[in-house]
Amino acid sequence: MPLYFFRIRNGRYSGASEQGIELPDHNAAWQELTSSCADMVGGICRKLGQDTQWEMELLDELRQPVFRICLVADSLAGSKPAAGKKRQPHSKRS
């Protein structure tokens, strides 16, 4: 079975997991990612700053992203992001 790894960008648990999980296919990998993310999102939202984002990715055996879930907190009331808090533009990142 293929081996998958989680990676979190931003926040307390930032970084890639060293221990992989075996899952039968991409569909099972997506289910695992969404389930894990759902378990964490409440705590993440309570601590997420304005104009920041949090990401959770599932990586394949070569540590390449297969899926990514992003939680974005944007200020829409005409305020500018605080210094050092500018959100990165959405692009392919490894």
Side-chain angles (χ1 to χ4, degrees), residues 18-61:
E18 293 296 323
Q19 190 171 30
I21 57 172
E22 289 185 341
L23 298 166
D25 55 31
H26 274 24
N27 186 49
W30 174 252
Q31 294 301 321
E32 185 66 28
L33 177 63
T34 57
S35 177
S36 296
C37 187
D39 291 344
M40 299 174 69
V41 78
I44 299 301
C45 285
R46 285 188 286 278
K47 296 176 184 171
L48 192 65
Q50 293 180 30
D51 298 305
T52 60
Q53 74 181 43
W54 175 88
E55 295 179 6
M56 186 174 195
E57 296 176 319
L58 198 66
L59 312 175
D60 63 15
E61 292 177 341

Side-chain angles (χ1 to χ4, degrees), residues 59-73:
L59 312 175
D60 63 15
E61 292 177 341
L62 300 174
R63 304 289 177 115
Q64 297 300 308
V66 177
F67 298 114
R68 176 183 300 132
I69 294 177
C70 299
L71 181 61
V72 178

Side-chain angles (χ1 to χ4, degrees), residues 3-6 16-21 63:
L3 200 57
Y4 294 90
F5 300 86
F6 287 103
S17 60
E18 293 296 323
Q19 190 171 30
I21 57 172
R63 304 289 177 115

